[in-house]
Amino acid sequence: MSDLFTPARTIVAVKFGFSDKTYDYLVPEGLEVEPGTKVFVATKRGEAKVEIFEIKTESDKASASILRIVESEIQPKPEVD
C-alpha cells in the first residue's frame, strides 16, 4: 500500500455549439481554465473549438484532454504615432 498522495485531476464539461449536452475532458496540468473559456479539443472528426461550461472534480467519461486555449481572435490594433 502506498502513502503517496495523488491530487485529483481537474475535469471540465464542454458544450459543442448550441447543444444542451456536455462532454467531459481532462485539463492538462498547469493549464488554468474557468467556465466561459474557449478551448480546442480533439474529436473523432478532428479539432473542435468549444466553450467550457462547468469545472468538475470527477468523471467516469473523461478520457481525452483539452489541447489548448483559444487565443484571442481579435488582434490588437497597432499604435499610431
Side-chain angles (χ1 to χ4, degrees), residues 35-50:
T37 302
K38 290 184 173 40
V39 295
F40 284 105
V41 296
T43 70
K44 291 178 182 177
R45 296 182 177 151
E47 290 184 8
K49 182 168 64 170
V50 297

Side-chain angles (χ1 to χ4, degrees), residues 7-78:
R9 295 278 315 251
T10 301
I11 299 157
V12 294
V14 302
K15 284 188 175 183
F16 289 81
F18 294 102
S19 172
D20 287 335
K21 188 170 182 173
T22 62
Y23 298 85
D24 294 347
Y25 281 84
L26 300 166
V27 177
E29 190 173 322
L31 189 67
E32 294 187 25
V33 295
E34 59 186 35
T37 302
K38 290 184 173 40
V39 295
F40 284 105
V41 296
T43 70
K44 291 178 182 177
R45 296 182 177 151
E47 290 184 8
K49 182 168 64 170
V50 297
E51 185 172 340
I52 294 175
F53 178 71
E54 176 184 17
I55 306 294
K56 304 168 90 175
T57 56
E58 58 183 53
S59 169
D60 58 350
K61 296 180 181 178
S63 61
S65 293
I66 291 174
L67 299 174
R68 64 190 177 281
I69 294 176
V70 174
E71 296 297 322
S72 176
E73 295 178 2
I74 301 172
Q75 298 298 321
K77 293 182 181 179

